[in-house]
Amino acid sequence: MTSAVEVRNVRCQLGEREILKGVDLAIAPGELVTLVGPSGCGKSTMLRVIAGLEEPSLGTVLIDGVDVTTAPPEKRHVGLVFQSNALFGHLRVEKNIAFGLRQLPKKERRDRVDEMLDLVKLGGLAHRFPHELSGGEQQRIALARALAPQPPVVLLDEPYGALDEVLREELGWEVKEILSRRHTAAILVTHDRHEAITLGDRVAVMDGGQILQCDAPRTVYDEPATRFVADFLAVSSYLSTSLGEETLVRPHQLRVSAGGPHTVLRVEFLGATSRYTIRTASGAVVVADVDPNTALNVDDSCDVHIRERHDE
Amino acid sequence: MQRRLVDLFGWMAILGIVALVASPILVLAWSLVDPSGEVWAELWRTRLPGMIVSTTILLVVVVGGSVILGTSLAWLVSAFQFPCRRLVGWLLVVPLAIPGYVGGFVWLDTLSGVVGARGVRSLWLCAVVLVLSLYPYVYLFARAAFADQGADSLAAARSLGVGAWGVFFRVSLPTAQPAIAAGAALVAMETLTDIGTVRLFNVSTLADGVMRVWFGSGNLGAATELASALTGAAILLIACERLLHRRGRSARGTSEGVMVPRSLSPVAVSGVLGTVVAVLVVAVGIPIARLVDWSVESIQAGQAVTVAGGVWHHVGNTLLLVVTSTGVAIFIGTVLALLVARKGGVARLAGRVSTIGYAMPGPVVAVGAVVMLAALDRRGVLPNGFFLVGSTIGLVYALLVRFLAVGYQGVEASLERISPSAVESARVLGAGSFRTALSVEIPAARFGILAATALLAVDISKELPITLLLRPFGVDTLSVWVWQSTSESLWAQAAVPALLMVFIGMIAVGLLLVALERGAELVS
Amino acid sequence: MLTSKRYFKVFGAAVATIGALSGLVACGGNSESSSDSEKSNGLVTVYTGRHYGIEPVFEKFTAETGIEVRFTTGGDPELRARLEAEGANTPADLVMTSDAANIALASAANLLSPVESEVLAEAIPEELRAQDNSWFALSGRLRVIMSSSERVANAPQTYAEVGDPQWKGKLCLRPSTHPYTQSLVAGLINNVGAVEARKIVDSWVANNPLYINSDTDILKALVAGDCDIALANSYYLGRLLSEDAAFPVTLTWPDQNGKGAHLNISAAGVTANAPNRANAVVLLEWLASKGQKLFSDTNNEFPADPRVEAAAVIAGFGSFIADTKSVRVLGELNTQAVELLSAARYE
């Protein structure tokens, strides 16, 4: 099956620095891959290379199986959504959405615009100007505009960054649903690791211009390829086994009981759990999420065990 | 209660500035001594219809030509990468820094070598020369607008299948429209009030008519009536620009990112470079070459060095005047634009009235200012036998009356493009008017402010009639030096100070362009 | 760099600097007296529309009398407007113009005051000063017929002959906007009456003249072949000849069998509200006597005092009759001249 987007051994140089150092990625049709990593790791550059806004110094970019490495952006068939939504301020909403539909006859264009507006649930706003809309509405229109020409893939560059948390979550799910319903592949760049794990069909973790791991969220979470990936995606604790090896444990995998060689450093109430930050006798710091009823306070002594699978 | 006071203060400030700046013109209008019916009838029968036609044709051709030329050049320089892009982008502004009364003659002289002495004195050639001199207004404003538009919306447009041309016509141009309109308005005003160039080409416009009546009959009343006709035309123009403005409201949208000039194929590069260089050679190369030629001639004849007071005296005075007046004008222009942005509606009308000084021929403003300042002197405004007429304050004030339009227009266009929510968020967060202005509006409008400042500096360094009439004793500037030569048709002698003026003007513009590029870089 | 705090500082600094600068410079505001005057014999302030070559003249005056001269240059009508607006507060002691109409208009507007002086009465002929002695001519320039010495054998001899059809398409004239043209026509009106004057101007216009707003450029056009004859002021030819003695233009004195060549003047008068009236009179007298030669020579003009020798360059034009009788009325006939030119469709 042809990938919706495929990137092979892409290197990209911006000025003196090499931003992308040999990236490989393939995205199946209808798949949403979240691309996550620290600032400056090259995620936006990746998107720009795929969109054709930057030229790679090496490597190939294929969209729907077609080699587009040397094609200009207007010839590639990708959708773009920015954090700033970049709507055309001088055009009404309907004209914004219809912007990429020049080649369609008028009737079809109208229908497509209506379809898009319905899709993002903003049917009555066709005649408004962008500055008259709220942030969330603007972002949805931006998505509608990107989807209107029915591209095989949509690239979203931190699209929810400017929105408040509640809206961010809501919109994130809505967009994922829309994309999957239309069977449109998508790459969602985000620096929010929670978002990355929650929304992605696969999660690609990037650092220093390379993709460190690209797997299903569960896999990346439970079986991180590198320590960086582990630490980046979620809180990690490392316990030394008796063999001198280090095991990765997540907060929910630890059990805490009163009395023991370790000391409680911090207690955070998270609602469903309490998060204990504990210094072990050997000096390592671990984090455990436990039942809030565990009545331990800062500076108390405690003991820590790895929770067995059959523990409650 | 406090809100009311602040409101009131805002209104008073607006009205105060407008009164300050519009009063010399109004004072002139008031001093209609006798009914000038006779002179009117004569003028109407013989000259006025022709003047109106000439003025209209000139306006249409010059504004149209400047917009097309200025906008295309601004786009080419902003959007594409080619060798010497920055240098070229800077040099394209040179015609603005050449004083019109010298530049006009340079062209007349050059062109008469081509089409002969009779052929050269035509309306169309005059229009062409004006376009070549005035396009930098539109060019600068358009460049500021293109620098400011977010690269993201351009990228979005391209991802939607639109090529380079499409991006220009469907996104960049509409977004830049208010700025282009502001530049076009300035070009229109300059054309309307130009006297030097049109006279050289024997074209009779309304402004020329005003001067004729005044010189011819010493009849200030009739001159003022004609001047009112001129102002009427200017107001019409302004109204048109306002209508255009409405369409471009908030055209900037919410895009961010800096526009990085695109690289092109070698063929395209040579195309772009060729076009731009061609314009440079014609608009800049020819006048500067002739001026240099004349300068050399003049220096060899030992003339430049012996100007009364010395070269540096003139340069120093020019610099001092330019810095002071530009500072005052941009400050008041920004304050006024901010106030108007807050109040909107009627305040905007008041703002327009403040630009009236630009719509009048320079000599009219000069005399109006003198009359008003002298009236103030009679009331003893300054102590100890000091007088406003012939003082630096008086001169700076008169220049403000004339050039506030430049400062105000540019800043206002930029402020319009700020989304209201940005301002509102600041206010809601507790920032008072002053802080919001400083931390939100002014930074957002910085490109417009910078463009306006550069334009002011250039305009003031070139200015003649007001400087000539109101300067303190012995404070001769470069433009005065030029006048003393050109009024005796000693064109070669005018070349040295003209080139010095160009030099000063270009430095101001250079600073602006550096700031544009820097500011653009910093945004990313 | 462009943070809001920075902006505040930069903006504030700029405003403060500008304020300080303005204040400093404003202190040099125009005041009645100058500190220089305490060192010498006083001060005289001049508004002059005749600016070419005026500095050496004033310098010589100061050297000889010890009186400082402070002056400002500009266009005649603008300076007149300023003088009028200033009223009693004017710092100007003396007004100088480069045209007869302009000085007469100043007098008519009560901006000048009569000067009774034997020196002036002796040096300046009666026709070349105001009837009430409010202004005095200092030098003269004549608007004459210029022709190409290479192409024209028989130049016109009168202003009327300039309108002869043989010169169609070969005539260069200065536009009606300039005072020189206006005064010329005013002189014609005075000499032959409005109707005749109109006929003459009509005949000029019928010759499809090339209008050039500069006498120097008119003369250059003659040489370049764009026209064969023209009307221009004598001193421009004088200037060009002193740079190039072989300049191929011939000067013809018009109307020598009639009223004479049109005479226009550089003139000066003491202002009505002069703060240093005594010094103004000293300057005026000096310009009319010891300063005559220098004043006239620096601009290749003819001295108003007929006893003073003209510069060699213009003396070479030969002797001539000048229309001195019209000089006084050039001012009052100015409006009529402008209307006549306009009606005749003279550009």
Side-chain angles (χ1 to χ4, degrees):
Chain A
M1 183 185 56
T2 347
S3 316
V5 177
E6 199 177 329
V7 163
R8 291 184 196 153
N9 195 25
V10 158
R11 287 180 180 269
C12 184
Q13 196 125 358
L14 283 183
E16 292 293 302
R17 289 176 42 218
E18 197 179 33
I19 309 282
L20 297 176
K21 301 186 176 136
V23 176
D24 292 280
L25 187 63
I27 308 200
E31 184 183 21
L32 174 78
V33 170
T34 46
L35 186 55
V36 69
S39 300
C41 68
K43 343 186 262 295
S44 292
T45 312
M46 257 286 281
L47 282 197
R48 291 176 70 83
V49 166
I50 296 175
L53 300 169
E54 299 292 349
E55 216 179 292
S57 45
L58 201 68
T60 349
V61 178
L62 298 110
I63 294 180
D64 245 2
V66 177
D67 186 342
V68 297
T69 323
T70 49
E74 52 268 21
K75 295 283 199 293
R76 310 188 187 198
H77 210 192
V78 293
L80 271 180
V81 180
F82 295 93
Q83 178 174 59
S84 63
N85 73 63
L87 293 176
F88 305 127
H90 61 285
L91 297 174
R92 295 179 196 274
V93 161
E94 55 187 354
K95 286 264 159 48
N96 260 279
I97 298 179
F99 195 83
L101 302 177
R102 269 292 175 85
Q103 67 278 24
L104 288 183
K106 220 168 176 187
K107 175 85 177 45
E108 267 195 62
R109 219 184 302 162
R110 272 255 62 168
D111 290 339
R112 184 79 62 86
V113 169
D114 289 336
E115 187 190 333
M116 289 296 125
L117 281 170
D118 283 337
L119 191 65
V120 297
K121 304 207 191 76
L122 290 177
L125 298 181
H127 296 295
R128 298 274 183 89
F129 279 101
H131 67 264
E132 295 167 348
L133 305 175
S134 72
E137 289 168 339
Q138 284 174 349
Q139 209 53 304
R140 285 194 233 168
I141 300 297
L143 182 68
R145 177 178 72 178
L147 285 177
Q150 295 174 332
V153 60
V154 172
L155 307 173
L156 304 108
D157 196 344
E158 313 221 29
Y160 316 121
L163 306 172
D164 65 79
E165 209 175 308
V166 173
L167 195 53
R168 198 186 302 172
E169 260 189 61
E170 223 178 82
L171 204 51
W173 277 109
E174 261 189 61
V175 168
K176 181 176 165 74
E177 203 209 336
I178 292 172
L179 288 170
S180 112
R181 216 187 315 148
R182 297 189 67 85
H183 209 60
T184 308
I187 305 180
L188 173 68
V189 163
T190 176
H191 61 265
D192 182 342
R193 52 198 183 177
H194 173 75
E195 192 172 86
I197 301 182
T198 326
L199 295 178
D201 295 328
R202 274 192 297 157
V203 179
V205 182
M206 233 177 129
D207 187 37
Q210 287 178 309
I211 293 186
L212 302 174
Q213 187 176 6
C214 184
D215 273 318
R218 191 75 200 259
T219 319
V220 179
Y221 186 83
D222 285 338
E223 297 157 38
T226 72
R227 184 143 174 171
F228 178 87
V229 174
D231 290 344
F232 189 82
L233 281 181
V235 177
S236 328
S237 308
Y238 295 93
L239 294 177
S240 317
T241 64
S242 40
L243 296 168
E245 283 174 3
E246 283 202 324
T247 324
L248 167 72
V249 277
R250 300 292 187 192
H252 65 88
Q253 291 170 321
L254 292 175
R255 194 163 49 86
V256 176
S257 49
H262 315 301
T263 330
V264 174
L265 290 180
R266 198 198 313 176
V267 181
E268 293 167 73
F269 177 62
L270 295 180
T273 57
S274 276
R275 177 163 287 179
Y276 283 76
T277 308
I278 296 167
R279 176 172 291 129
T280 64
S282 56
V285 174
V286 299
V287 177
D289 283 352
V290 296
D291 187 329
N293 291 322
T294 316
L296 284 171
N297 298 309
V298 179
D299 286 336
D300 282 353
S301 313
C302 61
D303 200 4
V304 176
H305 297 279
I306 297 180
R307 215 191 274 272
E308 299 305 321
R309 300 245 165 170
H310 57 265
D311 276 356
E312 95 278 34
Chain B
M1 174 59 186
Q2 194 180 29
R3 181 112 186 245
R4 281 273 166 76
L5 270 177
V6 170
D7 247 4
L8 190 65
F9 178 71
W11 272 109
M12 277 170 57
I14 293 180
L15 289 173
I17 293 177
V18 170
L20 186 73
V21 157
S23 41
I25 312 301
L26 299 174
V27 159
L28 261 191
W30 212 257
S31 62
L32 272 169
V33 177
D34 51 270
S36 40
E38 259 179 59
V39 184
W40 253 132
E42 186 58 47
L43 214 60
W44 182 256
R45 265 193 304 113
T46 56
R47 297 211 125 99
L48 205 55
M51 278 195 245
I52 292 180
V53 171
S54 298
T55 309
T56 312
I57 294 180
L58 209 59
L59 265 180
V60 169
V61 175
V62 173
V63 173
S66 303
V67 166
I68 294 176
L69 188 61
T71 310
S72 334
L73 287 172
W75 179 244
L76 287 176
V77 171
S78 302
F80 302 114
Q81 190 63 257
F82 54 88
C84 302
R85 185 181 68 96
R86 289 216 174 125
L87 180 65
V88 163
W90 177 63
L91 287 176
L92 280 172
V93 188
V94 167
L96 196 64
I98 301 178
Y101 32 100
V102 174
F105 182 78
V106 169
W107 277 111
L108 186 76
D109 200 54
T110 311
L111 288 173
S112 58
V114 175
V115 295
R118 278 189 194 261
V120 77
R121 288 170 166 83
S122 84
L123 175 62
W124 300 102
L125 276 180
C126 182
V128 169
V129 168
L130 280 173
V131 170
L132 288 175
S133 318
L134 296 175
Y135 77 81
Y137 277 119
V138 179
Y139 169 76
L140 269 182
F141 275 40
R143 266 200 83 173
F146 289 145
D148 202 21
Q149 74 188 324
D152 284 353
S153 48
L154 301 181
R158 294 189 68 201
S159 73
L160 290 163
V162 174
W165 285 116
V167 165
F168 175 61
F169 282 109
R170 295 175 65 191
V171 183
S172 302
L173 203 56
T175 315
Q177 194 199 47
I180 295 175
L186 287 178
V187 170
M189 303 243 231
E190 287 271 351
T191 309
L192 254 186
T193 60
D194 177 80
I195 294 172
T197 313
V198 295
R199 279 212 176 150
L200 279 172
F201 286 86
N202 290 355
V203 174
S204 192
T205 60
L206 279 174
D208 179 51
V210 170
M211 299 312 295
R212 275 173 194 273
V213 174
W214 189 4
F215 271 116
S217 58
N219 189 333
L220 208 55
T224 316
E225 283 174 16
L226 252 186
S228 326
L230 210 62
T231 317
I235 290 178
L236 248 162
L237 263 177
I238 291 167
C240 288
E241 188 231 338
R242 289 274 90 214
L243 283 170
L244 280 175
H245 231 130
R246 208 130 297 193
R247 286 192 60 214
R249 255 234 76 185
S250 293
R252 183 169 168 256
T254 48
S255 177
E256 276 168 29
V258 63
M259 180 159 81
V260 175
R262 268 215 303 170
S263 351
L264 295 168
S265 66
V267 172
V269 165
S270 36
V272 170
L273 190 57
T275 314
V276 171
V277 168
V279 172
L280 258 186
V281 165
V282 172
V284 176
I286 294 178
I288 296 292
R290 300 227 60 193
L291 282 176
V292 170
D293 201 25
W294 286 340
S295 297
V296 168
E297 198 186 300
S298 166
I299 293 177
Q300 280 175 345
Q303 287 155 352
V305 198
T306 57
V307 67
V311 175
W312 298 115
H313 174 76
H314 288 78
V315 171
N317 285 327
T318 308
L319 284 175
L320 196 64
L321 187 63
V322 166
V323 168
T324 316
S325 305
T326 303
V328 171
I330 195 68
F331 178 65
I332 296 196
T334 308
V335 167
L336 186 63
L338 282 169
L339 287 169
V340 167
R342 297 291 165 76
K343 311 281 178 208
V346 177
R348 211 168 277 285
L349 190 65
R352 285 279 163 254
V353 174
S354 75
T355 63
I356 205 176
Y358 206 65
M360 310 291 281
V364 175
V365 175
V367 171
V370 158
V371 168
M372 214 193 89
L373 290 172
L376 288 175
D377 280 339
R378 275 194 282 280
R379 276 157 187 61
V381 165
L382 290 183
N384 288 345
F386 282 98
F387 296 119
L388 286 169
V389 176
S391 71
T392 311
I393 292 189
L395 178 54
V396 170
Y397 166 69
L399 288 171
L400 178 70
V401 169
R402 176 119 177 86
F403 289 117
L404 184 61
V406 178
Y408 176 69
Q409 286 275 83
V411 178
E412 197 213 8
S414 285
L415 283 179
E416 281 238 320
R417 296 158 79 228
I418 303 177
S419 76
S421 56
V423 176
E424 280 158 14
S425 344
R427 303 298 297 278
V428 164
L429 285 169
S433 281
F434 190 54
R435 252 194 75 199
T436 314
L438 280 180
S439 43
V440 176
E441 289 165 297
I442 291 180
R446 64 188 179 281
F447 292 133
I449 295 180
L450 283 173
T453 309
L455 278 178
L456 276 169
V458 171
D459 265 344
I460 291 174
S461 67
K462 285 192 306 187
E463 200 283 327
L464 183 58
I466 295 175
T467 312
L468 196 59
L469 186 59
L470 282 165
R471 69 197 198 279
F473 290 107
V475 176
D476 288 345
T477 63
L478 289 171
S479 55
V480 171
W481 182 359
V482 171
W483 173 79
Q484 282 172 340
S485 310
T486 58
S487 60
E488 291 294 312
S489 303
L490 296 164
W491 302 104
Q493 284 187 23
V496 170
L499 279 179
L500 284 170
M501 269 198 258
V502 171
F503 192 63
I504 292 179
M506 289 315 289
I507 293 183
V509 172
L511 289 172
L512 162 69
L513 290 175
V514 164
L516 267 183
E517 300 255 333
R518 274 273 213 95
E521 279 167 35
L522 283 169
V523 168
S524 66
Chain C
M1 180 185 110
L2 296 164
T3 60
S4 62
K5 269 219 184 110
R6 264 290 194 74
Y7 257 113
F8 188 46
K9 286 187 196 153
V10 170
F11 215 65
V15 169
T17 316
I18 287 160
L21 259 178
S22 311
L24 262 175
V25 180
C27 283
N30 188 22
S31 64
E32 269 178 4
S33 61
S34 158
S35 51
D36 294 334
S37 62
E38 283 147 27
K39 301 183 213 144
S40 60
N41 283 340
L43 176 73
V44 64
T45 307
V46 184
Y47 285 179
T48 173
R50 184 199 184 278
H51 58 86
Y52 186 74
I54 201 68
E55 288 99 9
V57 176
F58 288 151
E59 272 165 28
K60 186 155 185 243
F61 172 74
T62 306
E64 287 186 11
T65 63
I67 300 176
E68 293 288 324
V69 181
R70 182 173 72 164
F71 68 98
T72 193
T73 57
D76 286 328
E78 285 92 348
L79 287 173
R80 191 169 67 244
R82 175 168 164 178
L83 196 57
E84 205 170 334
E86 285 172 336
N89 287 332
T90 184
D93 301 310
L94 196 74
V95 168
M96 217 187 279
T97 70
S98 57
D99 168 67
N102 275 310
I103 197 78
L105 285 171
S107 179
N110 297 322
L111 298 171
L112 304 175
S113 63
V115 177
E116 302 304 329
S117 153
E118 273 181 32
V119 174
L120 290 170
E122 205 209 328
I124 311 295
E126 202 184 324
E127 299 153 332
L128 297 182
R129 42 186 156 98
Q131 197 144 30
D132 62 356
N133 283 333
S134 59
W135 53 262
F136 300 83
L138 293 172
S139 63
R141 70 283 291 278
L142 299 107
R143 198 151 191 86
V144 298
I145 297 171
M146 305 280 192
S147 54
S148 161
S149 55
E150 292 163 346
R151 294 187 302 278
V152 175
N154 297 313
Q157 299 296 308
T158 67
Y159 292 114
E161 278 179 30
V162 170
D164 194 281
Q166 68 167 301
W167 304 114
K168 185 158 185 163
K170 301 190 187 152
L171 174 61
C172 276
L173 291 174
R174 193 145 189 180
S176 60
T177 46
H178 203 273
Y180 295 161
T181 303
Q182 295 165 9
S183 289
L184 173 63
V185 172
L188 283 179
I189 294 175
N190 186 44
N191 288 334
V192 300
V195 175
E196 256 324 292
R198 172 68 190 267
K199 284 193 190 153
I200 295 176
V201 174
D202 279 339
S203 68
W204 293 346
V205 176
N207 272 345
N208 196 15
L210 175 59
Y211 297 99
I212 300 178
N213 199 14
S214 146
D215 279 11
T216 310
D217 293 336
I218 286 179
L219 293 175
K220 288 188 180 161
L222 273 179
V223 170
D226 294 317
C227 41
D228 288 341
I229 64 165
L231 292 174
N233 277 4
S234 53
Y235 67 87
Y236 286 107
L237 184 57
R239 213 185 270 168
L240 287 164
L241 280 173
S242 35
E243 286 167 19
D244 170 19
F247 196 75
V249 169
T250 313
L251 184 155
T252 306
W253 298 111
D255 287 8
Q256 293 301 287
N257 294 330
K259 299 284 171 83
H262 169 74
L263 175 68
N264 204 335
I265 54 170
S266 299
V270 176
T271 59
N273 294 306
N276 296 305
R277 196 193 154 79
N279 284 343
V281 174
V282 172
L283 175 56
L284 192 52
E285 288 177 345
W286 185 87
L287 286 168
S289 52
K290 295 194 192 136
Q292 266 286 280
K293 185 121 176 75
L294 184 60
F295 185 84
S296 313
D297 284 358
T298 49
N299 199 26
N300 292 298
E301 293 184 84
F302 295 94
D305 187 339
R307 303 168 301 184
V308 178
E309 226 179 86
V313 163
I314 52 176
F317 294 149
S319 62
F320 57 92
I321 302 174
D323 178 20
T324 54
K325 304 236 183 315
S326 299
V327 171
R328 274 186 183 168
V329 298
L330 292 177
E332 55 188 82
L333 289 175
N334 186 276
T335 311
Q336 217 180 334
V338 170
E339 284 167 7
L340 188 153
L341 284 162
S342 180
R345 297 199 169 265
Y346 185 117
E347 250 187 55

